[in-house]
Every structure is written in structure tokens, then in C-alpha cells.
Amino acid sequence: MIRKLLILSCLLISTTFCYAQKTNAEKEVNEAVDKLIGLMINPDSLGLDKLLLHNLSYGHSSGKVQTKQEFMHSLLSGESDFLEDITLGDPKTIIQGNTALVRHKLMAETNDKGVRGSVNLYILLIWSKEKTGWKLLGRQAVKVP
């Protein structure tokens, strides 16, 4: 009987530990998403460089795919200009090992190349857990039908 209680206790402790790790990882990924959104509104080359992996693949709903350098240039030059607020909806996060997938709906007002507009997109972000934290590896956007 004592042996069964000991085994049950170990199982409960390990389940609690796994849940706490997942919750912490999700919190860290969500913080990385928040940093990305902040940098899209107020671009900063150092902040972007720290958050984006060198081999980033950044896909737009138009079909255009950018490298890290191209994405950073578009934000820093104002070619891609997000105004005051980006709203995210329906967030879903899946963490598998050192990889996280984040899906959400993105709604924002833009001023790309001086032309005002708005975007309403579904986004998939792919994050990689590195020694220095979660870094963006990939992004793909599709227009909301």
C-alpha cells in the first residue's frame, strides 16, 4: 500500500512539474511575441537583431518572402510601417521541445511607403528556443477570407 502511494505521489509531482514547465515556456513565448509586435510598431535595429534568427523566413500574405535583413530593412526604412496599435486575436500556442508555433489573427493600421491602409491577417509564427531565449525563425501570413 505504501509503495502504491509513493508511486502515485511521484506521478503527481512529475505531472505538476511538466505543467509548470509548459506554462513557463508559453509565458516566455508570449513575451517574445509581445516584443516582436512592439518592434514592428517602433522598430529598433538592435532589438530586431536580438529577436530574429539569422536564417529567418518571413512570409507575407502577398506571397513575398523576406530574409532577416530584408524584413529589418522594411521596418527600419518605413517601407513597412505599422501605426500605433497592432491587435492580436485568437492566440493559440503549441510548444514541442525547443520549437513553438503561435497562431493568431493580426489587425492593424499601416502607412506603407506613405500609403495608409489596414491589414486583417492570420499569422503563423515559428519560434526556436536558443541559449539567449526564444527567437523568431519563421512567419507566414494569409489574408482573412
Side-chain angles (χ1 to χ4, degrees):
M1 182 66 169
I2 292 176
R3 186 174 184 195
K4 287 181 182 180
L5 285 174
L6 183 60
I7 291 172
L8 180 62
S9 296
C10 288
L11 287 173
L12 288 173
I13 290 170
S14 41
T15 301
T16 303
F17 179 73
C18 289
Y19 178 76
Q21 279 188 319
K22 182 177 180 183
T23 302
N24 189 44
E26 284 183 26
K27 180 182 173 196
E28 290 172 356
V29 170
N30 291 335
E31 288 171 357
V33 171
D34 290 342
K35 281 182 194 173
L36 176 63
I37 296 304
L39 288 166
M40 290 170 67
I41 296 169
N42 296 304
D44 155 13
S45 61
L46 185 58
L48 286 165
D49 190 53
K50 286 181 179 180
L51 192 62
L52 309 174
L53 283 174
H54 178 70
N55 54 345
L56 172 71
S57 178
Y58 193 92
H60 295 268
S61 60
S62 65
K64 179 180 180 178
V65 178
Q66 294 179 312
T67 64
K68 174 182 178 176
Q69 292 74 23
E70 292 167 334
F71 172 59
M72 286 179 62
H73 173 75
S74 69
L75 287 175
L76 294 167
S77 69
E79 181 181 310
S80 181
D81 185 11
F82 289 91
L83 300 178
E84 300 302 311
D85 194 25
I86 295 176
T87 303
L88 303 182
D90 303 324
K92 293 175 183 65
T93 302
I94 299 170
I95 297 176
Q96 182 67 44
N98 290 333
T99 304
L101 302 179
V102 178
R103 288 189 178 276
H104 57 254
K105 186 175 179 183
L106 181 145
M107 296 146 288
E109 297 300 315
T110 60
N111 191 28
D112 298 348
K113 296 181 184 176
V115 178
R116 283 197 165 297
S118 62
V119 292
N120 189 17
L121 304 168
Y122 288 127
I123 304 290
L124 170 65
L125 299 171
I126 304 163
W127 296 89
S128 177
K129 176 74 174 194
E130 305 294 315
K131 290 179 184 176
T132 56
W134 290 95
K135 308 296 178 195
L136 187 63
L137 174 62
R139 184 259 199 187
Q140 186 59 59
V142 296
K143 292 178 183 167
V144 174

